[in-house]
C-alpha cells in the first residue's frame, strides 16, 4: 500500500515510501499556481529508483502506477475524442441558436406586439438574468455530482422551457419562460469542462477551438432557419424548431461517459478505469502498464478555493475578461440588426435618433437584413481559423489580448459617416475578432484551475459573462437610440480594458497539463488518498 505525506514549506512536497525500503524513495515537488509549469507531476509516479549496487540494480525499471493524465497522454487523440466532440458540439449548437435568436426576436416583437425599445431589450436581458443566476449553480452541480449529470439536466431543462416559450400568449409569459430558458442555458459551458477532461495536452488548445466551431455552426444555422421560417411560419415556429439540437443531444446522451478525472476525485477508481479502457479501445490503443492512482478529494466545488492565495488574482481578472467578452460579443450581434435597420448610416453616426417617427411605426427584418446578418455571422469561422493558428504560438494570454484590441480597432471607424457595405465589413472583422477571443477564454479557464474546482470556476466566470450580456441590450438597443457615439465608446473602452487584463494574467497555460487538485489554500492537510491494488 502506498502512503503519501505532505510538507508545506512554500512548495508542496510529496514523499513516497515502499514497503520494501531497499527500493529507495522518490520525491516529487509540485509548483504553486503562480509558477508557469505543469502540476500533474504532483500525482504521477512511474518509476522506482533503485540504489546503485542494489540487488535489483541490473534490472530495467518498470512503470507501476499512472494517473488519468498519464493514461490520456499515452492513449492520445483518436476516434473516441472525435465522437465526444460531435456529441458535446450538439449542446454548443443549441446554446448558440438560443443566443442568436435574441437578435431576431427583438425586432419581431417590437412590430407584432408594439413593444417599446426598453421592453424589447428586456426580452434579451431576462435570458441573461437566468443564465447569470444558474451558471454557478450548474458549476456546483457538475463539481459535486459529475459533468455528465449537470450537462444532461441543463439540456433537458432548456428543451422543455424552450418548447413552452413557443406557445406564450402575452409579453409577461414570454419573459418568464425565456428567463427559464436562460436558467437552463447557464449550464451549457459545462460541455467544454467535460470535453477538455478527455483531451491530451498537445491537442487541448486546438480541439477546444474546433469545438467552438459548433457555436459558429449554430449561429449560422439559426440565421438560415429564420430566413426560411420567419416570412411564412413566424417566430413561434422559429422558437420551437430551434430546440431540435437539444432534442438530438438528449437522444444520444446515453453514450456520453463521465469524466474519468471527476471519477478519480470522487473515489470511483474502477469506473474511471472502465472509461479509460473504453477510450483506449475506441482509439485502438492500450492503457499504460500499472495501477491507476485514485486521488480522492471530498471537498470539491468550494467557492473559497477560487479566492485562495494561489488563485484570487487569476479569478478576478478572468471574471472581468469573461464580462468583457460577452458584453462585446452580444453587443456587436445586437448592433448588427440595429445598424442595418437604421438605414441612413450617416444620419445615424452623426447622432440622430434611430427611433421611428411614429411610436407605432416599425420595420420588420427584410431578406437583405437576414443576408447581411448571415454574412456577419459567418465571420465566426475565419476568426476561429486565425485563433487556431496563433493560440499555440503566441499563447493564450496574448491571443485574448490580440482579439480585444482588434475588436476596438474595428469599432473606431464606425464613428465616421460610412456606407452599409463598409459597416458590414467592419462588423464582420469585429465579430471575427471577439468570437475568436471568446473561444480562447474557454480554452484558458479549464486549464488554469484544478479538477476539484474546474466546473465551479467555469460556472462563476460564465455568470460574470452573463452579467455583461445582460447589460449589453440596454446599450446596443436603448442607448444607441440616444447617442451612437456614446454607445460605440462604451464598447471600445470595455474591450481595451479587457485586453489589458488578459496581458496581466499571472499564468500562461500553453503546454500546461490539467491539475487534479490545487494546493491547500490554508496550508493545512487535505483528505488525500492514493489507492492501488493489493
Amino acid at each position: 500500500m502506498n502512503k503519501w505525506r505532505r510538507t508545506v514549506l512554500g512548495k508542496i512536497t510529496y514523499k513516497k515510501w515502499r514497503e520494501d525500503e531497499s527500493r529507495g524513495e522518490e520525491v516529487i515537488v509540485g509548483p504553486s499556481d503562480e509558477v508557469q509549469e505543469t502540476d500533474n507531476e504532483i500525482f504521477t509516479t512511474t518509476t522506482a529508483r533503485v540504489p546503485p549496487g542494489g540487488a535489483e540494480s541490473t534490472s530495467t525499471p518498470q512503470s507501476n502506477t499512472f494517473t488519468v493524465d498519464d493514461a490520456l497522454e499515452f492513449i492520445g487523440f483518436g476516434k473516441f475524442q472525435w465522437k465526444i466532440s460531435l456529441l458535446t458540439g450538439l449542446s454548443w449548437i443549441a446554446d448558440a441558436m438560443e443566443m442568436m435568436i435574441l437578435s431576431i426576436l427583438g425586432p419581431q416583437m417590437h412590430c407584432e406586439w408594439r413593444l417599446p425599445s426598453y421592453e424589447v431589450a428586456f426580452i434579451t436581458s431576462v435570458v441573461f438574468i437566468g443564465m447569470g443566476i444558474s451558471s454557478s449553480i450548474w458549476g456546483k452541480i457538475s463539481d459535486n455530482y459529475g459533468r455528465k449529470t449537470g450537462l444532461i439536466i441543463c439540456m433537458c431543462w432548456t428543451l422543455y422551457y424552450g418548447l413552452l416559450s413557443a406557445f406564450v400568449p402575452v409579453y409577461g409569459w414570454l419573459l418568464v419562460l425565456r428567463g427559464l430558458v436562460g436558467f437552463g442555458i447557464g449550464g451549457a459551458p459545462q460541455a467544454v469542462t467535460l470535453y477538455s477532461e478527455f483531451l491530451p495536452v498537445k491537442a487541448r488548445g486546438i480541439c477546444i477551438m474546433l469545438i467552438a466551431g459548433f457555436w459558429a455552426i449554430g449561429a449560422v444555422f439559426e440565421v438560415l432557419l429564420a430566413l426560411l421560417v420567419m416570412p411564412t411560419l413566424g417566430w413561434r415556429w422559429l422558437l420551437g424548431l430551434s430546440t431540435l439540437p437539444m432534442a438530438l443531444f438528449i437522444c444520444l446522451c446515453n453514450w456520453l461517459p463521465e469524466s474519468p478525472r471527476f471519477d478519480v476525485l470522487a473515489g470511483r477508481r474502477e469506473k474511471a478505469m472502465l472509461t479509460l479502457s473504453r477510450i483506449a479501445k475506441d482509439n485502438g490503443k492500450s492503457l499504460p502498464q500499472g495501477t491507476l492512482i485514485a486521488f480522492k478529494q471530498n471537498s470539491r466545488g468550494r467557492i473559497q478555493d477560487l479566492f485562495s492565495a494561489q488563485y484570487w488574482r487569476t479569478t478576478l481578472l478572468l471574471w472581468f475578461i469573461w464580462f468583457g467578452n460577452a458584453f462585446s460579443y452580444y453587443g456587436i450581434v445586437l448592433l448588427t440588426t440595429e445598424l442595418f435597420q437604421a438605414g441612413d448610416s450617416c444620419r445615424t453616426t452623426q447622432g440622430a435618433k434611430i427611433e421611428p417617427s411614429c411610436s407605432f411605426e416599425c420595420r420588420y427584418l427584410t431578406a437583405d437584413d437576414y443576408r447581411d446578418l448571415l454574412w456577419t455571422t459567418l465571420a465566426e469561422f475565419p476568426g476561429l481559423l486565425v485563433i487556431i493558428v496563433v493560440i499555440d504560438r503566441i499563447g493564450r494570454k496574448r491571443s485574448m489580448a490580440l482579439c480585444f484590441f482588434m475588436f476596438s480597432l474595428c469599432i473606431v471607424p464606425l464613428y465616421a459617416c460610412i456606407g452599409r457595405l463598409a459597416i458590414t465589413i467592419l462588423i464582420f472583422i469585429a465579430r471575427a475578432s471577439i468570437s475568436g477571443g471568446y473561444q480562447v477564454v474557454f480554452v484558458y479557464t479549464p486549464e488554469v484551475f484544478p479538477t476539484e474546482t474546474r466546473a465551479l470556476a467555469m460556472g462563476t466566470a460564465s455568470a460574470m459573462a452573463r452579467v455583461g450580456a445582460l447589460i449589453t441590450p440596454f446599450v446596443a438597443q436603448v442607448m444607441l437610440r440616444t447617442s451612437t457615439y456614446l454607445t460605440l465608446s462604451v464598447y471600445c473602452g470595455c474591450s481595451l480594458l479587457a485586453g489589458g487584463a488578459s496581458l496581466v494574467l499571472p499564468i500562461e497555460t500553453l503546454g500546461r497539463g490539467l491539475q487534479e487538485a490545487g494546493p491547500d489554500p490554508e496550508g493545512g492537510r487535505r483528505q488525500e488518498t492514493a489507492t492501488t491494488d493489493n
Side-chain angles (χ1 to χ4, degrees):
M1 180 68 72
N2 293 328
K3 298 179 181 179
W4 296 80
R5 184 180 70 185
R6 166 175 288 183
T7 306
V8 180
L9 292 173
K11 290 185 177 180
I12 306 155
T13 304
Y14 287 81
K15 263 189 179 178
K16 177 183 177 186
W17 283 269
R18 297 190 178 277
E19 292 179 358
D20 182 1
E21 296 295 341
S22 66
R23 293 179 65 88
E25 65 181 23
E26 179 173 296
V27 179
I28 303 166
V29 179
S32 68
D33 180 71
E34 302 297 335
V35 180
Q36 299 180 13
E37 300 179 30
T38 174
D39 280 353
N40 63 308
E41 291 89 347
I42 294 177
F43 312 111
T44 304
T45 57
T46 58
T47 305
R49 295 190 183 126
V50 181
E56 298 176 293
S57 60
T58 59
S59 64
T60 303
Q62 298 294 324
S63 173
N64 64 335
T65 57
F66 63 91
T67 64
V68 174
D69 221 20
D70 296 329
L72 292 175
E73 293 299 320
F74 191 83
I75 296 169
F77 188 91
K79 180 181 177 182
F80 176 88
Q81 280 81 7
W82 283 116
K83 289 194 292 186
I84 202 169
S85 297
L86 294 173
L87 188 52
T88 53
L90 278 175
S91 66
W92 220 222
I93 288 174
D95 189 7
M97 291 179 69
E98 291 295 337
M99 293 296 96
M100 195 65 202
I101 202 173
L102 298 176
S103 63
I104 299 168
L105 191 61
Q108 189 74 19
M109 293 294 95
H110 172 68
C111 291
E112 189 168 324
W113 286 359
R114 297 293 190 266
L115 301 178
S117 59
Y118 74 89
E119 288 188 352
V120 172
F122 202 60
I123 295 174
T124 302
S125 291
V126 74
V127 176
F128 294 116
I129 290 173
M131 295 168 77
I133 292 172
S134 70
S135 293
S136 299
I137 297 174
W138 292 119
K140 188 78 172 177
I141 291 172
S142 297
D143 271 335
N144 284 281
Y145 302 103
R147 282 72 161 112
K148 174 183 176 179
T149 301
L151 185 59
I152 291 176
I153 293 174
C154 85
M155 287 292 107
C156 291
W157 179 291
T158 308
L159 173 63
Y160 179 72
Y161 288 107
L163 286 173
L164 283 183
S165 64
F167 300 96
V168 292
V170 293
Y171 175 74
W173 272 110
L174 179 65
L175 291 183
V176 171
L177 291 175
R178 294 311 292 176
L180 291 170
V181 168
F183 189 94
I185 298 174
Q190 300 309 326
V192 177
T193 304
L194 175 66
Y195 181 59
S196 67
E197 294 183 351
F198 286 99
L199 298 173
V201 172
K202 290 184 179 179
R204 190 183 308 122
I206 292 178
C207 288
I208 294 179
M209 295 301 299
L210 286 176
I211 197 177
F214 286 100
W215 174 282
I217 291 171
V220 170
F221 184 68
E222 185 64 34
V223 176
L224 291 174
L225 186 63
L227 183 60
L228 295 173
V229 171
M230 290 293 284
T232 55
L233 299 176
W235 60 271
R236 296 182 186 276
W237 277 92
L238 182 64
L239 287 177
L241 292 174
S242 296
T243 63
L244 287 176
M246 282 178 281
L248 184 58
F249 172 85
I250 292 168
C251 291
L252 299 175
C253 66
N254 281 337
W255 177 88
L256 188 68
E258 182 56 82
S259 165
R261 295 180 185 273
F262 172 82
D263 284 334
V264 163
L265 284 193
R268 301 196 292 258
R269 187 177 68 86
E270 293 78 10
K271 189 175 179 181
M273 277 297 298
L274 288 174
T275 302
L276 292 173
S277 298
R278 176 181 170 185
I279 298 172
K281 181 180 179 181
D282 279 0
N283 289 2
K285 300 289 183 67
S286 59
L287 288 174
Q289 295 296 317
T291 305
L292 176 66
I293 296 177
F295 182 89
K296 187 174 182 179
Q297 175 55 265
N298 293 321
S299 55
R300 301 184 303 274
R302 300 186 307 177
I303 189 70
Q304 60 265 36
D305 289 342
L306 300 180
F307 294 95
S308 64
Q310 292 79 19
Y311 291 105
W312 69 269
R313 187 166 50 146
T314 300
T315 297
L316 294 178
L317 286 170
L318 271 178
W319 280 5
F320 180 71
I321 292 168
W322 278 75
F323 173 92
N325 262 312
F327 182 80
S328 302
Y329 176 83
Y330 294 111
I332 200 66
V333 169
L334 295 174
L335 277 174
T336 301
T337 52
E338 293 294 328
L339 292 176
F340 286 162
Q341 282 194 312
D344 186 353
S345 68
C346 292
R347 181 172 60 87
T348 301
T349 54
Q350 289 172 359
K353 294 183 180 181
I354 301 178
E355 196 74 56
S357 56
C358 174
S359 60
F360 292 103
E361 180 184 349
C362 71
R363 181 173 179 268
Y364 287 94
L365 290 173
T366 65
D368 288 338
D369 293 330
Y370 283 119
R371 279 193 289 269
D372 287 335
L373 186 58
L374 178 62
W375 280 115
T376 55
T377 304
L378 287 171
E380 307 229 357
F381 291 103
L384 285 174
L385 291 176
V386 171
I387 289 301
I388 286 173
V389 172
V390 303
I391 190 172
D392 285 332
R393 288 174 170 79
I394 66 175
R396 282 52 162 150
K397 293 164 53 178
R398 291 178 182 174
S399 296
M400 285 188 281
L402 176 64
C403 291
F404 279 120
F405 294 149
M406 282 298 298
F407 179 84
S408 300
L409 286 175
C410 293
I411 291 294
V412 171
L414 295 177
Y415 284 89
C417 177
I418 57 178
R420 183 177 177 119
L421 177 61
I423 290 177
T424 302
I425 293 172
L426 287 169
I427 291 176
F428 182 94
I429 300 172
R431 183 157 176 177
S433 301
I434 199 62
S435 63
Y438 210 164
Q439 303 312 324
V440 177
V441 78
F442 272 99
V443 177
Y444 181 87
T445 306
E447 290 182 335
V448 79
F449 290 99
T451 301
E452 63 185 7
T453 56
R454 186 171 296 125
L456 180 62
M458 286 288 289
T460 55
S462 180
M464 293 304 298
R466 308 316 179 187
V467 173
L470 186 157
I471 295 171
T472 204
F474 294 96
V475 178
Q477 293 177 320
V478 179
M479 183 185 292
L480 184 69
R481 301 180 187 278
T482 303
S483 173
T484 305
Y485 289 145
L486 180 59
T487 301
L488 297 176
S489 298
V490 169
Y491 285 112
C492 189
C494 180
S495 60
L496 287 173
L497 289 173
S502 302
L503 292 176
V504 298
L505 282 166
I507 304 169
E508 173 56 66
T509 61
L510 178 61
R512 191 174 192 252
L514 293 185
Q515 306 167 77
E516 302 304 334
D520 188 345
E522 299 178 359
R525 297 180 62 185
R526 288 189 187 273
Q527 183 69 29
E528 300 169 351
T529 62
T531 305
T532 60
D533 292 333
N534 292 325

